[in-house]
Amino acid sequence: MENEIAQNGNMENIFYAALALHVAGKPINKENIRVVLHAAGTPVDEPSLDIIAAFMESLKAAHLKNESIGDPRIIKLLTAALSQHKIQVEQLEALLVDLARSIPPETKTGESIPKESSESEIRSHPELSDERGTITQSEAIQKEVAGESAKEPVLFKGRYIYGITAGGKEVRLGPIGIGGSEVYTISYQDLGAVVHNCPAEPYQSLDDEKVKGWIKAHQNVLDTAKEQFNIIIPLCFDTILKPVDDSITPDQVVRDWLKNDYERFHTVISRIEGKDEYAIQVSYSPSQISTHLPEPSGEVKTISEELAKKSPGIAYIYKQKLDKAIKADMERLADSWFKNFYNRINKHADSIVVEKNRKLDKDQVMLLNLSCLVAKEKVESLGEELEIINNMEGFSVHFSGPWPPYSFVAKPIIDGGKVENHGSH
Amino acid sequence: MVIKIDENNLKQGVLGLVVALVEVIRDALRIQAIKRIESGILTDEECERLGKAMMDLDIALEGIKEEQGIIESVQSVRDGLDTLVDDVIDKIVNPERWEDEINGK
């Protein structure tokens, strides 16, 4: 039983080693896999190795063409698996770089690497390569530096930006990002961008549930960052920065972006500091607001009187005019309510953005749709005011928040690095 | 605006669309009729005939909608049209919203 379990784990490790070699563009054969596994400090299971070798050779025979390296799906799977096993990816990267240097490219006869270079690999990574037989996987995990989680490989050229914080410390927030990615900050002076490394293309999917999950993760990161830093300028979902060419690193692109808009970011921060966005919608039910209606206007009265006197055809026409007059009255009334409520709400809010009124079901009409920037101290008094309005007969108030102040943060201006901003909401 | 039509609700879809359009035309006629009547150009008898004709049209349309069970579809077509027109007018009144749309906001 123990043997079986060990073999399953080993097969997995061998597979990951094979993937790593594939990504590095090195031939996948027994010798190379042994080198990688030794470096990672996991035991090598010869029978499993034989199986993989046979598989690779048969694959090679079938596909003589060169497949593209760096397939993002493989990279993603690899890094996810590696970060799960908490193997130091930096060290694995370094290993791959060294492999690239010491292992000659595949020869015509497909010979394995000379024994000397594999030994030198092992010597140059003393932390990872330990006494062969005794080291088990759990020990390898414990050996790695406590506290620091694995860093995403430099293979990902994009930086997905969640938002901007004040505070220049570079901090790790853990694997809370989209797809379980490690979230951390990149700083320029006293501004920080909350990011995770990603392929340089936007997140897209036809699967609604998947996209919902991504958006939840995005929101979750913003909430966590807010707790940690107190202030965060939120950015839209799917804002990704990538370098236009290889002359600049992705991290530098982010730093440059922070530098270029430094003033503006600080202006926005001081505007939203200590305030949250709240959404307020006031609607009324036409059938129930009769108590608030004033006496019918003069025009309506006259028409009603005339109506009584006329013959059917003319009466019909007058009825139409009556309906029109009543409608005009209602609109004037709604207008005055709007102004009244708006002014009352305005006393408690810092800024207000008026949104479009949505169409509601059946007997409800939306009167007011506002996004408000409210200081923490004023939220309670705003709530009380809204309670009063809600209690008016026939009116109902929908009050939600706090939200990140999306409506009060203008669109980012980008120079230098390229931004992919897909407003998929 | 998407009009969803399949074999099952073809009648709903096509009939709903047709009646919705008839209602829009009727509304336009109504405005014209009221204008003519108020202008005093028509005689009393003509006014009466016009009014009665419009009323009969209304009753007929209500009857058709009820019989064919398309009251809901007609309403939804009209709501869709309303939203569309609303959108266009909103963009005319607020040019910056038009600009945002072009820039892919």
Side-chain angles (χ1 to χ4, degrees):
Chain A
M1 175 70 159
E2 228 175 62
N3 267 338
E4 269 172 39
I5 295 175
Q7 179 161 60
N8 279 338
N10 285 333
M11 194 54 120
E12 215 182 298
N13 294 333
I14 289 173
F15 181 57
Y16 290 139
L19 280 182
L21 288 169
H22 176 66
V23 154
K26 291 304 146 211
I28 303 173
N29 51 40
K30 285 201 217 175
E31 248 2 88
N32 290 359
I33 292 181
R34 276 203 208 99
V35 168
V36 176
L37 288 179
H38 284 160
T42 60
V44 180
D45 180 53
E46 288 304 320
S48 306
L49 200 53
D50 283 334
I51 298 170
I52 287 287
F55 174 61
M56 292 316 308
E57 266 140 38
S58 68
L59 264 187
K60 202 166 62 179
H63 305 278
L64 293 175
K65 213 164 90 166
N66 245 349
E67 297 287 312
S68 71
I69 325 167
D71 183 10
R73 287 165 296 166
I74 295 183
I75 295 172
K76 221 170 190 158
L77 170 69
L78 194 59
T79 52
L82 288 174
S83 54
Q84 261 181 13
H85 289 264
K86 291 193 179 177
I87 298 173
Q88 290 267 26
V89 180
E90 288 151 339
Q91 285 162 318
L92 191 63
E93 261 180 56
L95 170 67
L96 288 175
V97 165
D98 278 342
L99 272 176
R101 267 187 263 124
S102 65
I103 300 177
E106 190 175 44
T107 65
K108 281 218 171 89
T109 56
E111 273 171 17
S112 52
I113 44 161
K115 257 231 155 33
E116 309 84 59
S117 25
S118 66
E119 276 170 12
S120 67
E121 286 325 307
I122 296 165
R123 260 181 262 121
S124 63
H125 298 279
E127 305 102 19
L128 289 177
S129 58
D130 234 307
E131 298 86 333
R132 302 289 153 269
T134 53
I135 249 237
T136 62
Q137 189 157 13
S138 54
E139 279 177 44
I141 292 173
Q142 281 161 26
K143 268 163 64 60
E144 65 111 4
V145 180
E148 282 259 38
S149 344
K151 193 172 167 200
E152 296 277 333
V154 187
L155 297 162
F156 282 168
K157 287 222 166 83
R159 296 288 177 267
Y160 181 105
I161 319 256
Y162 293 90
I164 299 168
T165 68
K169 240 178 53 173
E170 297 212 336
V171 171
R172 296 189 162 282
L173 292 172
I176 54 175
I178 291 178
S181 313
E182 173 80 14
V183 176
Y184 62 102
T185 61
I186 296 178
S187 323
Y188 171 78
Q189 295 193 5
D190 59 345
L191 288 178
V194 179
V195 305
H196 82 254
N197 296 358
C198 65
E201 44 181 58
Y203 284 88
Q204 287 165 344
S205 168
L206 293 173
D207 181 354
D208 270 354
E209 286 307 311
K210 205 172 186 185
V211 177
K212 271 192 211 159
W214 289 341
I215 294 182
K216 276 202 194 131
H218 181 103
Q219 190 56 48
N220 190 31
V221 170
L222 285 177
D223 288 339
T224 313
K226 182 109 195 271
E227 280 168 35
Q228 172 103 233
F229 300 103
N230 269 327
I231 186 96
I232 181 149
I233 303 178
L235 289 174
C236 284
F237 176 72
D238 242 354
T239 308
I240 298 174
L241 259 67
K242 76 170 192 227
V244 274
D245 55 39
D246 280 336
S247 66
I248 187 168
T249 69
D251 282 8
Q252 195 51 41
V253 172
V254 177
R255 280 187 236 274
D256 286 345
W257 176 62
L258 289 174
K259 181 167 153 198
N260 283 337
D261 269 333
Y262 186 82
E263 292 286 327
R264 202 176 62 82
F265 289 144
H266 267 295
T267 315
V268 175
I269 285 179
S270 52
R271 185 146 49 96
I272 65 175
E273 198 151 22
K275 301 176 196 144
D276 295 307
E277 178 171 329
Y278 289 85
I280 302 177
Q281 284 131 29
V282 179
S283 359
Y284 66 89
S285 157
S287 54
Q288 290 172 16
I289 43 157
S290 39
T291 46
H292 301 288
L293 295 177
E295 280 294 301
S297 68
E299 199 185 338
V300 172
K301 266 202 170 125
T302 3
I303 299 177
S304 308
E305 282 161 19
E306 299 281 310
L307 199 65
K309 306 184 212 157
K310 304 292 183 178
S311 48
I314 307 282
Y316 171 87
I317 299 294
Y318 272 86
K319 171 117 192 337
Q320 300 309 315
K321 289 179 68 179
L322 184 67
D323 287 347
K324 210 162 134 197
I326 293 178
K327 195 162 161 231
D329 272 359
M330 271 302 297
E331 272 175 23
R332 266 191 297 266
L333 197 57
D335 224 22
S336 72
W337 284 333
F338 182 100
K339 288 199 181 93
N340 177 276
F341 295 158
Y342 183 94
N343 288 329
R344 280 153 77 175
I345 291 171
N346 204 12
K347 294 202 188 92
H348 308 272
D350 247 57
S351 330
I352 303 186
V353 171
V354 179
E355 313 279 358
K356 270 175 76 168
N357 285 344
R358 278 195 333 254
K359 253 201 156 66
L360 296 172
D361 286 338
K362 306 276 164 160
D363 193 32
Q364 291 278 341
V365 176
M366 189 179 283
L367 178 68
L368 201 64
N369 189 2
L370 307 175
S371 297
C372 309
L373 190 65
V374 185
K376 288 195 181 21
E377 322 81 73
K378 293 207 183 147
V379 176
E380 202 178 327
S381 54
L382 177 61
E384 283 164 10
E385 185 73 62
L386 292 176
E387 185 69 24
I388 298 174
I389 297 177
N390 193 34
N391 287 335
M392 288 168 71
E393 181 145 357
F395 286 95
S396 61
V397 174
H398 187 255
F399 184 38
S400 67
W403 300 108
Y406 288 107
S407 310
F408 299 93
V409 172
K411 290 192 290 258
I413 307 160
I414 308 300
D415 265 332
K418 187 165 183 284
V419 173
E420 302 281 333
N421 189 339
H422 290 248
S424 33
H425 53 281
Chain B
M1 183 179 77
V2 178
I3 304 174
K4 290 199 176 131
I5 300 181
D6 59 36
E7 323 81 56
N8 300 332
N9 69 351
L10 190 62
K11 180 178 92 169
Q12 291 273 322
V14 175
L15 208 50
L17 188 55
V18 168
V19 172
L21 289 175
V22 171
E23 280 193 351
V24 171
I25 296 171
R26 175 212 53 193
D27 289 348
L29 283 174
R30 186 187 284 165
I31 295 173
Q32 285 302 311
I34 296 180
K35 252 190 183 165
R36 303 269 156 104
I37 291 178
E38 284 180 340
S39 70
I41 288 179
L42 305 172
T43 68
D44 278 348
E45 200 214 318
E46 284 169 338
C47 289
E48 172 63 29
R49 271 170 45 205
L50 185 50
K52 183 110 194 339
M54 303 259 17
M55 188 168 73
D56 289 343
L57 177 57
D58 273 6
I59 295 173
L61 280 175
E62 294 305 311
I64 293 174
K65 288 201 292 191
E66 213 174 303
E67 276 168 42
Q68 302 297 328
I70 51 172
I71 298 180
E72 298 262 325
S73 2
V74 171
Q75 189 54 47
S76 90
V77 170
R78 297 206 65 183
D79 285 344
L81 284 171
D82 280 349
T83 316
L84 210 62
V85 173
D86 212 23
D87 222 20
V88 172
I89 293 184
D90 182 63
K91 288 202 177 74
I92 294 174
V93 171
N94 300 301
E96 66 273 5
R97 288 200 190 150
W98 198 0
E99 192 186 325
D100 286 343
E101 185 175 306
I102 294 175
N103 293 337
K105 183 174 182 188

